[in-house]
Amino acid sequence: MRWAEPVRRAVKLGADRELVGVYARRSDLPRSLFRELVEGARSRLLFGGYTSYFVWLDVPNAAETIGAKAQGGADVRFLLGDPASPVTTGRDRIEATPLNLATRIAMTRAEISKSATPLAVRLSDRHVGMSVWVFDDDAIVATHIGGALGQDSVTLHFRRRESGGPFSRYLDHFEALWADAAAEQY
């Protein structure tokens, strides 16, 4: 069994096998990944980004596509940052960019309103440091670093392989934030 140890080191086991990829920045994700995940999702599309602004840039006809998923019975929810929160204002000072968080949140809300099917939206400021997007059994998690913009966040791609693994933990994180967030109607 001389090959057993090298094979064992090379093969992912346990919770580690849920990790599909690690990217130094969210902008390093394959440009088509979010589009493919949105288009491929059948039952669940959870957008837990503080602005999720880039979705409208990366996914052609996103409002129509996402609205059709909701119309077809998929669980579609947007957890956005609260533009009126002092946390948002403080983060805007740190990022110091003309396209501030409140503006990006407003742009996302405007895009959501284009959906023919009402989409669930809640506001929170508790996820300013980590974004979680879930598409069926795939999750993209961006962990924000210092004063960097969201696109500069270390980003992880998980795929559910077991109960209680990292995918499930991040899904639970989204659900806890959602339960505590303020509802908004579209």
Side-chain angles (χ1 to χ4, degrees), residues 1-11:
M1 296 274 189
R2 297 176 64 132
W3 55 269
E5 182 59 26
V7 168
R8 193 170 61 80
R9 281 194 314 258
V11 174

Side-chain angles (χ1 to χ4, degrees), residues 57-80:
L57 303 174
D58 289 352
V59 180
N61 304 311
E64 181 180 324
T65 301
I66 293 167
K69 302 280 183 178
Q71 179 68 31
D75 177 11
V76 177
R77 293 182 270 163
F78 283 85
L79 179 65
L80 299 174

Side-chain angles (χ1 to χ4, degrees), residues 50-111:
Y50 210 74
T51 72
S52 289
Y53 168 71
F54 70 94
V55 170
W56 315 106
L57 303 174
D58 289 352
V59 180
N61 304 311
E64 181 180 324
T65 301
I66 293 167
K69 302 280 183 178
Q71 179 68 31
D75 177 11
V76 177
R77 293 182 270 163
F78 283 85
L79 179 65
L80 299 174
D82 180 351
S85 166
V87 171
T88 302
T89 304
R91 184 66 193 179
D92 275 336
R93 277 194 304 275
I94 292 168
E95 290 185 2
T97 182
L99 190 58
N100 66 22
L101 290 169
T103 300
R104 287 179 273 162
I105 292 165
M107 294 171 88
T108 291
R109 290 161 104 178
E111 290 297 322

Side-chain angles (χ1 to χ4, degrees), residues 86-147:
V87 171
T88 302
T89 304
R91 184 66 193 179
D92 275 336
R93 277 194 304 275
I94 292 168
E95 290 185 2
T97 182
L99 190 58
N100 66 22
L101 290 169
T103 300
R104 287 179 273 162
I105 292 165
M107 294 171 88
T108 291
R109 290 161 104 178
E111 290 297 322
I112 289 169
S113 72
K114 293 177 183 177
S115 170
T117 302
L119 302 176
V121 178
R122 291 191 181 175
L123 303 176
S124 174
D125 63 11
R126 292 184 50 210
H127 64 300
V128 73
M130 180 170 46
S131 297
V132 177
W133 299 274
V134 179
F135 307 96
D136 291 344
D137 289 333
D138 282 273
I140 304 295
V141 177
T143 57
H144 302 287
I145 295 178

